[in-house]
């Protein structure tokens, strides 16, 4: 069947099997590798994209279900050569290690800040609770999201601290 998805503002039309998952459409048909494929069971959250402006785990959505709809991937966060503040926050506050979960974390964090520009630590942790990070203790991820929130609000944005275990 033929599927057309508005992918980061650009229509992508491809012939697909009816059972093709959205994550595979994005990676294999459209050639965008930022969205990661981790578990196929919706447990890890590495594949989070936006479908019509709402975060979804793309391993649980068929490409056919996204036909005629809008999908935003991590590649769509950067606008006009400028990183999204969430992307900047992850860089400044060391919110990633291996980077495997990062695309899903970024998309989830961006959705959170769009809905709640000043989330508490508890709200950030709740928002990312569907994301598994195997490398961090989530502290720097939470700090990264707070950094982005503060930047967007024009508040004090401080340089990230070097973790004690790195300097010891």
């Amino acid at each position: 069947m033929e599927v057309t998805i508005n992918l980061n503002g650009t229509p992508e039309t491809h012939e697909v099997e009816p059972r093709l998952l959205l994550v595979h459409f994005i990676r294999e048909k459209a050639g965008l590798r930022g969205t990661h494929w981790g578990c196929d069971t919706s447990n890890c959250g590495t594949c989070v994209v936006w479908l019509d402006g709402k975060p979804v785990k793309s391993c649980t959505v068929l490409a056919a279900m996204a036909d005629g709809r809008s999908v935003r991937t991590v590649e769509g966060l950067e606008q006009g050569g400028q990183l999204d503040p969430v992307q900047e926050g992850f860089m400044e506050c060391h919110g990633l290690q291996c980077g495997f979960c990062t695309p899903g974390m970024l998309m989830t964090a961006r959705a959170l800040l769009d809905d709640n520009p000043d989330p508490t630590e508890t709200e950030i942790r709740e928002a990312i609770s569907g994301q598994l990070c195997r490398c961090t203790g989530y502290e720097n991820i939470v700090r990264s999201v707070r950094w982005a929130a503060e930047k967007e609000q024009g508040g004090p944005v401080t340089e990230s601290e070097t973790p004690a275990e790195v300097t010891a």
Side-chain angles (χ1 to χ4, degrees):
M1 68 183 296
E2 187 175 89
V3 171
T4 300
I5 297 173
N6 184 346
L7 195 54
N8 297 324
T10 303
E12 284 279 340
T13 302
H14 297 281
E15 192 70 29
V16 301
E17 291 286 329
R19 65 179 182 260
L20 184 75
L21 295 172
L22 180 57
V23 66
H24 298 303
F25 180 94
I26 292 166
R27 291 180 58 80
E28 297 161 13
K29 299 292 184 179
L32 297 178
R33 301 283 195 231
T35 302
H36 292 165
W37 173 47
C39 68
D40 263 347
T41 61
S42 83
N43 287 317
C44 73
T46 64
C47 67
V48 169
V49 299
W50 292 5
L51 180 61
D52 293 334
K54 299 292 180 197
V56 298
K57 293 178 180 178
S58 60
C59 73
T60 62
V61 176
L62 296 173
M65 295 167 68
D67 188 29
R69 299 172 74 185
S70 177
V71 172
R72 186 177 184 193
T73 69
V74 69
E75 289 91 348
L77 286 179
E78 174 268 329
Q79 297 289 312
Q82 294 291 107
L83 292 178
D84 185 274
V86 172
Q87 291 170 306
E88 290 181 279
F90 270 66
M91 286 181 6
E92 289 295 321
C93 299
H94 310 286
L96 61 103
Q97 293 211 356
C98 79
F100 194 74
C101 71
T102 304
M105 289 284 188
L106 292 170
M107 297 306 291
T108 300
R110 177 74 269 150
L112 169 65
L113 294 181
D114 285 352
D115 288 343
N116 179 359
D118 190 23
T120 64
E121 178 179 334
T122 300
E123 291 168 328
I124 295 168
R125 287 182 181 279
E126 183 177 316
I128 64 172
S129 66
Q131 318 292 124
L132 293 179
C133 177
R134 293 164 179 91
C135 300
T136 73
Y138 296 91
E139 293 298 320
N140 288 348
I141 293 169
V142 172
R143 189 175 303 128
S144 299
V145 178
R146 279 299 316 149
W147 187 97
E150 290 174 10
K151 178 176 182 173
E152 289 180 346
Q153 294 175 1
V157 176
T158 57
E159 281 190 44
S160 61
E161 299 175 7
T162 304
E165 60 270 11
V166 173
T167 58

